[in-house]
Amino acid sequence: MSEQGQPEAPADQWTPPEGSWASSAATRRSMLGNRNRDTAPELLLRSLVHSAGLRYRVAAKPLPKMRRTADMVFRPVKVAVFIDGCFWHGCPEHFVMPKTNRPYWEDKIDRNIQRDRDTDNRLAEAGWLVLRFWEHLKPEACAATVIEAVAARRQETEASKRPRKTSWPPSR
């Protein structure tokens, strides 16, 4: 059955919907089934960070006017965590360009990479620390990095809030 409840045509008679990137009905179903949040690598990392006592926002906008979300956001200390999929973000180790509809995918992955860099730059300009991890990295190592970064940012924030020691009466 199709998405509209209609019987699907045999694969050799399938025609993609107007403007579709799919090269086959099976490819279309597979790509539509991909999650954009709560992936296995995200859930593992979140579990490890949560068990270390840290609390965060999930799939949240670090900046209110930014139309992009981070996988984990630690607002008080301005840390944004992204877990990038090897295919969608062009992992140098694992990304393999699809053989069909190659121009579409080259453009799509390039745009994703450019958007990632733009997001990193915009957040950095706003004082955020951006942590990006590939989905294939060990979650324990990623969690350790996140925990250390948040702890360091907390120390910086607390140190900046402490009153400066001054002697009284002031020296003349």
Side-chain angles (χ1 to χ4, degrees):
M1 290 281 174
S2 72
E3 295 165 16
Q4 293 80 27
Q6 302 296 322
E8 287 190 16
D12 59 346
Q13 295 177 10
W14 184 79
T15 56
E18 184 71 29
S20 177
W21 39 260
S23 57
S24 70
T27 299
R28 182 173 171 80
R29 272 194 309 276
S30 174
M31 291 303 186
L32 288 172
N34 286 330
R35 295 174 156 269
N36 63 356
R37 64 172 279 185
D38 298 334
T39 63
E42 286 178 39
L43 294 174
L44 280 169
L45 179 61
R46 289 187 345 219
S47 175
L48 292 166
V49 170
H50 190 272
S51 67
L54 298 182
R55 300 301 177 257
Y56 45 84
R57 299 282 176 199
V58 176
K61 295 178 183 180
L63 301 174
K65 294 181 181 177
M66 189 177 203
R67 290 186 56 208
R68 299 168 191 168
T69 60
D71 298 313
M72 298 168 67
V73 175
F74 299 85
R75 266 201 192 94
V77 292
K78 292 186 173 184
V79 175
V81 179
F82 297 86
I83 298 97
D84 292 338
C86 291
F87 177 78
W88 295 106
H89 298 269
C91 171
E93 285 184 52
H94 300 106
F95 176 71
V96 176
M97 185 63 67
K99 290 179 177 60
T100 57
N101 208 0
R102 190 175 182 100
Y104 170 83
W105 289 110
E106 286 173 345
D107 185 48
K108 170 70 176 159
I109 301 304
D110 284 346
R111 282 192 326 262
N112 287 353
I113 293 168
Q114 289 171 3
R115 186 183 61 243
D116 292 344
R117 297 298 78 80
D118 180 60
T119 299
D120 295 351
N121 292 334
R122 290 169 64 180
L123 289 173
E125 288 171 6
W128 284 74
L129 172 64
V130 177
L131 300 175
R132 284 193 178 271
F133 303 103
W134 291 111
E135 68 178 341
H136 66 265
L137 295 176
K138 294 194 182 307
E140 296 81 9
C142 299
T145 301
V146 171
I147 293 164
E148 289 171 23
V150 170
R153 283 296 197 100
R154 278 188 181 153
Q155 284 182 333
E156 291 171 15
T157 303
E158 290 169 9
S160 69
K161 289 181 181 176
R162 285 189 205 119
R164 293 190 181 111
K165 293 184 179 181
T166 58
S167 59
W168 189 258
S171 307
R172 293 181 198 214

